[in-house]
Every structure is written in C-alpha cells, then in structure tokens.
Amino acid sequence: MEHHIKELISQLTLEEKAGLCSGADHWHTKAVERLGIPAVKFSDGPHGVRAEDPHADRPYTFIPTICFPAACATAASFDVEALEQMGRALGRECQAVEVDTLLGPAVNIKRSPVCGRNFEYFSEDPYLTGKLASAYIHGVQSQGVGTSVKHFAANNQEYRRMGCSSDMTERTLREIYLSAFEECVKTQQPKTIMCSYNKINGDYAAEHKHLLTEVLRDEWGYEGIVVTDWGAVADRVKGVAAGLDLEMPGTGGMNDRYIVEAVKNGTLSEKDLDKAVENMLRFVFSCADSRREEQLDLERDHALAVNIAAESAVLLENNGVLPLGAGQKIAYIGGFAEAPRFQGGGSSHLTPSQSVSALEMARAKGRGVSYTMGFLVDEDTWNDADAAAAVENARQADVAVIFAGLPEAFESEGYDRTHMRLPDCQNRLIAEIAAVQPNTVVVLHNGSPVECPWAGDVAAVLEMYLSGQGGGEACDRLLWGESNPCGKLPETFPLKLEDNPSYLNFGGDGRNVRYAEGSYVGYRYYDTKKMPVRWAFGHGLSYTSFSYSNLRFSADTFADGQTICVQADITNTGKIAGKEIVQLYVADQNGTVVRPAKELKGFTKVALAPNETKTVSFTLDPRSLSYYEEKINDWFAPTGNYEIIVSTSSDRKELSGKIRFETKRLLPLCVDDDTPLDVLDRDPRTHDAVQELIALIRRKIPMIPQTDDEDTAQEMGGDMEIPLKCFVIFEGYPREKMAALIE
Ligand code: GLC
C-alpha cells in the first residue's frame, strides 16, 4: 500500500518527528493518530514468541507459546531448511499473538566458551552463523513479521556490556564480528537491526556512524531501521546523526525533547532527523500492512520443535552402546532426566506451552527404565544417600544414562561464567558410576561448552544443548534409535578454558576489552596451532557411517568475477538411514600473513539410505577465498593456490584438492627505504626497476641462483629480503639515486 511517506514527513511537526524515534512504552513504537501512522509491537525471541498477555492482572505474564531449541542447539543442525521452518512457525505465532517484529536472531560470535549468552548465539564461525540466521530471517519474514538481527556489534560478553569497549582491528571486526550481519543484510533485508549496548573501538554502537551508516547502509545497502538494545542510548542526538532510527524503550519524552532542541539550535540537521523518520515510517507501514489473522497451532509447532531438537543433538562419543535396545535393563540417573533444562535465562526466557521430559517419554512408551535422581538440577550439592542410590542403580543396570548439564544459575544473559566446569557433584557422580558401569552414557543439557574430565571413561556422550520444550521427546527418540543423531558441533569444546584464544583478555578491565586474538577465534586458533581439543568444531557421530569420494572441480583455475563448483560423493556405508553434514574448508597456500589455517566456506546436509551415494555441490567465488585487507578496505584473495578440504569435521580431511585463483587486483605497494628487494622483484609494477639492484647484489653474492621461480626465490631467504636502504648503507649506492629510484 502506498503511503506517500514524503508527504507525511512534510505534515509531521518537529515534535512528532522526534517522537517517532523513540518507543511509546516497553514494547511499542508511537502512533500519530491524526496522520494514520500506526504503532507497532516488538517482542522477544529469538527461539520463541515471548508475548505478554494483555489481559493478565500482572506484568510479565506471557501467553504460552512454543519454546524452540535455542540457537546453541539449532546451530548444531547445520540445517538451513530446519531454521527456515522454525522461522515460519515463529512468524505464524507472532501473527497469532499480534507481534509485528520478533527480536531475533542473535548472531554474536562465540569468542569465549564462557560468555553467559552463548546459548542464544549460533557459533564461533561467522559463515555458519550468517547462513543459519539468514534462513531463520527468511522464515519469519515470509510470514509478514519483522526480525531484529542482534546485537550489532561485537557484544561477545555480558561483563560490563552496557559500556565496555570491544577493541579490535578493522580486519578482525569485518572477518569475524560483522560478516554474519553482512550475510543477513545482503540476502534478507531484515526489517530491523538491533545495535548493542557496548562500544566498539571507543564509540557506543548506538552512535557509531562507521557501523550504522558507512558500513550498514552505504556499503551493504541496508534499507530497514536500526533499533537500540533496550536502554542502549547514550547521546540520542549523536545517535540520530550516526544512523540510529529508534530508541527502545522510550524515555518518557526526554530524548525526544533533546532532538527537538538540537534541530532548533542547529546542532542536528533536520535532514538527518527526516532520514530516521522516513525509515521509521517505511518500517511501521510495512509491519501494519503485513498483519493478518492467524491462530496459534501449538500441537503442530510443538511437533516441529521436537523434530528440530532431534536434528540438533550431537552424538559426541559412542562405542556402540547407543542406541539402547528394548529388553535391556536401563537406569536413568540425574535430575535433568525428569526436569531437563531446555532454555536460557534472561530476555529470551518464555512460558512453554508444554514440555515432556525424557523420563516421562520413556515411561509413556513403556521402556521400563528405572530412575534415581542422584543430583539436583539447580545446585551443586552432594548427598551421600542420593549418590549411593544412583551408583547402585547404575551398577545393576545393563546401561546407565546420566542426564547432566549446567544449572540455570551457571549461565545467563547478564553475566558470564567464570569457569567451564559442570557442577562438581555431577562430575563426581559420573566418575563414580563410570567406575562400576562400563556402559555409562552421559546426556548433556548446556548452553555452552563444558569441561568433560570423564569423557574417556564413558561409553557415549549425547549433547542436547538447550533443546527447547521438545527436547525430552527428541532425546528419547535418539537414545532408543527412533531418530539417528546427525548434529555437528558449531563450536569447539576445548580441553580446558585456559586453552581458549581469548582467555588472557576476555572480560577486559570493565572499560575496554582487547580482542588480541584477532581472527583466531575458535577452530581458527586451535587448528592453526594444531592444539588438541576435547571435540572439534564440526565433530558429530551417527548411528551409521559415511565415506567420501570423487572430489572434483569445475575448473582448476578461476579469476575475478568467476565461480568454481566443487563436488564430492558421499556414501552411507552403514546399515541404517542417516544424515551427514559435509563441510568445505578453504586453506590459503600463498603465505598470506596472519591468516587462519583454514576457514569454513560451505556446508550441506545430505540424507542417505544404507549404501546410497549422493553428490554434494558447493559454489565458491573470490569472496570464498578472501581475507579482509585493510590497505584497500575490502576483501581480497591473493593470486595463488588454495587447498579445498571437504570433510566431516574441522579436524579431519576426508578429501582435499588444490585450485588456483588469479586476480588482476593489486594491493597498494609501499615503496620506501624499508621495502625489501624481493617484494619489488615480484611485483609487476616494480620488477624492471630493481633488476639493476639485483644484478648488483648477485655480483656481490654470486651464489644467489639466477631464477624467477617463486619457490626458489623464497628459498633464497634473507639475501633478497634486504630493504632498499641497505644498498645505500652497505653498497655505497648513491642516496640521490636511491631516492630517485624510490620516487
Ligand atoms: C535485552 C537484550 C535484548 C532483548 C532486549 C529486549 O537487554 O539484550 O536481546 O531483545 O533487551 O528485551
């Protein structure tokens, strides 16, 4: 519907314009009745619609809706179809409860395993995050409901999140902390982007012109609105000028008045205000025009939540003890069996429409399991009698299944964890049971990695993460083989927290936190350093097995503006149907300085019947090979060789091959006294000009072989790496002549 937005802007008073740029209350924007401008409603997500019941007699009473698996779990599905389906269901639910924009997905990168909100984020890898978040956005927005990609940007800890500055290089920011947002914006045009509380390199996100205007709009072409995280505004006037459209919640008119005053006294141009107003009008009309009648269908959506939870679980270890078989004497141990933790604390916490535990499911299906609580779910206390009963029950069984995990209080929005351990009572009981029962299975319910000192002593480990209200049913299907686990880890489980690359700097001093590890986040670090980890990014087992063969490329060389297709054949070599998540990693072989050993640049999930073979395909473009080059403020792939790895996990290499990329793009070349000779020899722009110097140096050091071969040139080592100034210092080369040469 055409709304003559320009005309409306001309009819709005200055006060009304300023008023449109902040909320009416905690969840709504302001309406302007006289001009037919509607108010629209936000509500939290990201993995469920947290809609306050307008008829309730007290605030924060939510309408029961579906609590889907949290992003920590859905990321492990590597399944864009599943995320899109979840998004569609969430969109329908939003329409049913009259929510116009859902506050998700949350795409912050898991820089450290102990960030309190990791449960709400997808991965340590921005490529996986961007693809899955985009699928979620597509699903939600396909139902006419808006999304809010959050928290823009570099909000990777909870400690002092309201004011701490995330300090890093532009390259680190672009490669790791912005690229998931970039993918979402360029492929989905999310209706809103939520800017974060923190600062980035000293400026608040809510008034960061480089991020909100130069990058988001000028470079990426973003057309939606930027809304603050709730209460994230520092200087509202600076925010308008920087590209911040909407402050939520409102400040009772206080900041509106600052905007009016600033326009009147000339410190804020009305043009900037009109841009925000135009964005807001487009946003609110787009929401209002997309509203439709919808009914909650909780049964249908619950079934979807169960299926997604089953797709997301990760079988980390299995010596064959799983799946469980009927007729076996099975002991369920641990409070999480009857009270699974399936969502995180803070703004995403909602009222599930139902939830069935694994224990209830097992009993409902007559599986004949025994149950001993052993330990409580919400505290770290040891009770001798409870523990002894659990150990005895486990000892007498054929298989003991221990339902363990992180208590609610161990991780949440608002604070970070201080260690990676499970409660001591759980580690102790797992060890005691494993000592008497070789068939011990551990099922984990955690929003972020935990140290597993007992991993080598148990027969199987199943990671459910925070799997939503359908997690208990999904867990039952997986344990008993009705579903075949197919998830893969979207984050590394390090052996200990101290191994994590952010460990020395995480948290910072409360005002600044240094991202000193740069792009070496997660597997980019462990893999490059060849460090042992408990379980690698991309790791996940199945009840069947797969083989990889026949890697082929559509070409062995490609250039700027072209793409290359990579294919491989995947075979199910086991006896039952299963799904394999095939990953593609790119490894720059060109000696590009400061670059991770490999990076994920493709993944696909393939369902295979026993003995079935399918071909999987990936398309790579120059961006797939690129790093972010600050000298040109752009992505850049150097000419040369790249290894393409197709694998079942980041720490394995099922198939690999080399392709060559050739670019005509040249980086700016700095030529001064410190420029080494070999750099000038290799660059077509300066090659001829330095041949006299090379001849001179060869006369001086005759053993330098006459070669233009790149590899040999590199073997020459130090002799060709001498900087130009040395010719003046050691070779008596006239300074004026050198200055002219440099010129
Ligand atoms: C919270 C969260 C954000 C949430 C918002 C509204 O502080 O940071 O993710 O959407 O406020 O509850």
Side-chain angles (χ1 to χ4, degrees):
M1 194 186 308
E2 183 44 50
H3 290 280
H4 312 299
I5 285 177
K6 296 285 187 197
E7 199 179 307
L8 276 173
I9 292 175
S10 67
Q11 293 167 341
L12 286 163
T13 66
L14 178 57
E15 285 69 18
E16 286 169 331
K17 288 181 186 177
L20 281 170
C21 298
S22 71
D25 57 28
H26 206 72
W27 301 114
H28 295 86
T29 63
K30 292 195 189 80
V32 181
E33 305 289 351
R34 72 181 186 86
L35 293 175
I37 297 170
V40 298
K41 181 177 181 182
F42 293 98
S43 177
D44 279 311
H47 42 264
V49 186
R50 190 175 184 251
E52 288 203 52
D53 182 346
H55 311 303
D57 52 10
R58 54 193 168 78
Y60 282 92
T61 305
F62 299 116
I63 301 168
T65 51
I66 301 297
C67 179
F68 283 96
C72 56
T74 55
S77 74
F78 281 69
D79 191 330
V80 288
E81 280 75 35
L83 267 296
E84 168 142 6
Q85 273 188 23
M86 179 172 143
R88 298 173 76 82
L90 287 167
R92 285 194 298 268
E93 289 195 24
C94 284
Q95 291 285 15
V97 297
E98 297 173 353
V99 165
D100 296 299
T101 291
L102 186 62
L103 298 172
V107 300
N108 293 105
I109 295 302
K110 304 188 185 193
R111 173 175 180 244
S112 164
V114 294
C115 168
R117 261 184 117 170
N118 273 351
F119 70 89
E120 218 173 322
Y121 303 149
F122 288 91
S123 174
E124 67 191 31
D125 179 88
Y127 179 86
L128 175 64
T129 300
K131 293 296 182 191
L132 295 180
S134 294
Y136 169 104
I137 294 164
H138 192 73
V140 174
Q141 300 201 158
S142 72
Q143 303 305 306
V145 174
T147 54
S148 191
V149 192
K150 65 190 188 182
H151 308 85
F152 192 66
N155 178 185
N156 307 100
Q157 65 188 53
E158 291 301 288
Y159 178 61
R160 301 287 176 83
R161 65 172 176 164
M162 308 291 276
C164 187
S165 179
S166 300
D167 298 341
M168 69 194 81
T169 64
E170 181 74 9
R171 177 179 175 193
T172 302
L173 185 60
R174 294 282 188 147
E175 287 186 0
I176 304 297
Y177 299 101
L178 293 189
S179 56
F181 287 96
E182 180 183 6
E183 175 73 14
C184 293
V185 165
K186 287 184 174 176
T187 63
Q188 306 303 325
Q189 281 296 349
K191 284 194 180 175
T192 81
I193 297 274
M194 183 189 291
C195 74
S196 57
Y197 289 119
N198 58 285
K199 295 176 181 174
I200 298 93
N201 292 330
D203 293 326
Y204 281 109
E207 52 202 57
H208 208 291
K209 191 170 184 68
H210 176 57
L211 287 181
L212 303 186
T213 295
E214 292 164 6
V215 174
L216 194 55
R217 298 180 206 276
D218 299 348
E219 239 187 273
W220 295 348
Y222 182 53
E223 296 160 1
I225 67 160
V226 176
V227 57
T228 59
D229 197 340
W230 266 233
V233 160
D235 179 327
R236 186 67 190 93
V237 172
K238 275 177 80 176
V240 177
L244 172 67
D245 302 303
L246 175 62
E247 170 185 29
M248 286 303 290
T251 46
M254 175 188 73
N255 276 335
D256 301 351
R257 282 190 294 279
Y258 285 141
I259 290 174
V260 169
E261 279 163 28
V263 169
K264 283 181 175 169
N265 68 28
T267 52
L268 174 68
S269 87
E270 188 149 9
K271 201 165 44 61
D272 284 348
L273 177 57
D274 287 351
K275 241 188 298 181
V277 171
E278 183 180 346
N279 292 337
M280 278 304 295
L281 291 176
R282 265 207 313 277
F283 167 62
V284 297
F285 284 123
S286 156
C287 289
D289 294 348
S290 313
R291 289 169 182 160
R292 68 167 195 250
E293 268 304 303
E294 185 65 67
Q295 298 304 318
L296 279 179
D297 184 339
L298 296 176
E299 282 315 306
R300 175 196 60 201
D301 292 352
H302 174 78
L304 176 63
V306 176
N307 290 339
I308 293 174
E311 289 290 317
S312 302
V314 186
L315 184 60
L316 294 171
E317 301 287 352
N318 185 28
N319 69 359
V321 69
L322 290 179
L324 304 175
Q328 284 182 301
K329 195 169 172 346
I330 307 295
Y332 279 15
I333 312 280
F336 288 93
E338 65 176 331
R341 180 161 163 257
F342 55 75
Q343 64 174 322
S347 59
S348 67
H349 198 90
L350 52 85
T351 306
S353 66
Q354 61 169 298
S355 94
V356 180
S357 70
L359 180 62
E360 286 167 309
M361 276 319 290
R363 286 178 171 159
K365 294 186 177 177
R367 302 214 194 264
V369 304
S370 65
Y371 171 62
T372 318
M373 187 187 70
F375 52 80
L376 296 166
V377 295
D378 49 15
E379 55 184 86
D380 187 1
T381 50
W382 179 265
N383 175 298
D384 283 333
D386 290 346
V391 172
E392 184 50 26
N393 184 11
R395 194 182 58 76
Q396 290 176 12
D398 298 327
V399 182
V401 184
I402 305 173
F403 293 76
L406 288 177
E408 191 79 49
F410 272 50
E411 59 180 342
S412 167
E413 176 180 343
Y415 54 87
D416 299 316
R417 292 160 63 190
T418 54
H419 58 79
M420 251 180 64
R421 296 186 303 280
L422 285 167
D424 295 340
C425 67
Q426 295 184 30
N427 282 327
R428 181 175 165 189
L429 189 60
I430 292 169
E432 290 197 8
I433 287 175
V436 301
Q437 173 51 267
N439 294 330
T440 295
V441 175
V442 175
V443 181
L444 289 172
H445 305 77
N446 47 304
S448 50
V450 290
E451 288 168 13
C452 301
W454 33 262
D457 307 324
V458 298
V461 183
L462 178 65
E463 174 61 76
M464 292 304 293
Y465 275 115
L466 300 186
S467 51
Q469 66 183 60
E473 292 174 65
C475 183
D476 178 79
R477 287 188 198 167
L478 293 160
L479 287 174
W480 295 87
E482 290 169 10
S483 293
N484 184 358
C486 59
K488 301 263 185 184
L489 285 181
E491 60 188 330
T492 309
F493 274 50
L495 287 166
K496 59 185 188 299
L497 177 59
E498 292 80 352
D499 291 347
N500 178 269
S502 73
Y503 178 71
L504 295 178
N505 296 286
F506 184 75
D509 62 7
R511 298 186 75 86
N512 295 78
V513 54
R514 288 179 60 245
Y515 285 46
E517 73 282 354
S519 298
Y520 292 99
V521 173
Y523 72 87
R524 285 174 165 80
Y525 173 78
Y526 304 114
D527 196 60
T528 305
K529 278 182 61 88
K530 297 186 173 54
M531 270 179 84
V533 295
R534 176 67 66 196
W535 294 298
F537 174 89
H539 168 72
L541 304 176
S542 170
Y543 292 151
T544 186
S545 53
F546 301 97
S547 71
Y548 287 52
S549 61
N550 197 7
L551 177 67
R552 62 247 190 222
F553 305 125
S554 56
D556 51 20
T557 299
F558 74 119
D560 298 321
Q562 297 176 344
T563 60
I564 201 165
C565 180
V566 179
Q567 294 186 310
D569 294 342
I570 315 296
T571 304
N572 179 342
T573 51
K575 296 185 176 45
I576 62 168
K579 294 179 184 175
E580 170 67 343
I581 293 162
V582 184
Q583 301 142 57
L584 182 148
Y585 296 90
V586 172
D588 179 336
Q589 309 278 306
N590 303 304
T592 304
V593 289
V594 188
R595 190 163 191 187
K598 67 159 96 74
E599 296 175 282
L600 181 76
K601 296 296 176 184
F603 64 88
T604 187
K605 192 168 196 175
V606 56
L608 294 166
N611 303 318
E612 184 180 16
T613 296
K614 284 182 184 169
T615 295
V616 294
S617 303
F618 306 90
T619 300
L620 301 179
D621 61 12
R623 174 69 184 264
S624 309
L625 312 180
S626 297
Y627 69 95
Y628 189 81
E629 177 51 72
E630 292 181 0
K631 289 187 199 128
I632 54 175
N633 269 328
D634 196 1
W635 297 86
F636 179 74
T639 291
N641 294 329
Y642 295 81
E643 184 183 19
I644 306 300
I645 298 161
V646 173
S647 181
T648 188
S649 170
S650 66
D651 61 344
R652 292 167 56 100
K653 192 182 280 191
E654 261 63 29
L655 299 169
S656 83
K658 272 197 179 39
I659 57 170
R660 182 170 174 76
F661 176 71
E662 289 172 352
T663 180
K664 294 205 180 332
R665 301 171 73 196
L666 289 167
L667 296 181
L669 183 62
C670 159
V671 184
D672 60 17
D673 276 346
D674 297 324
T675 308
L677 188 57
D678 61 343
V679 167
L680 299 168
D681 182 37
R682 279 204 301 270
D683 191 300
R685 292 164 291 186
T686 51
H687 174 82
D688 299 343
V690 296
Q691 293 317 304
E692 179 204 357
L693 294 179
I694 291 181
L696 190 148
I697 192 99
R698 282 193 180 132
R699 275 200 298 282
K700 171 90 181 163
I701 312 172
M703 75 284 280
I704 291 183
Q706 308 283 342
T707 169
D708 286 334
D709 167 65
E710 280 175 19
D711 294 341
T712 313
Q714 278 187 352
E715 277 155 29
M716 273 188 209
D719 307 312
M720 284 291 282
E721 286 178 7
I722 56 170
L724 292 180
K725 69 185 171 195
C726 293
F727 283 87
V728 178
I729 298 164
F730 298 126
E731 309 305 330
Y733 197 86
R735 174 165 291 286
E736 308 68 37
K737 199 174 174 191
M738 179 53 76
L741 179 70
I742 287 173
E743 194 49 43

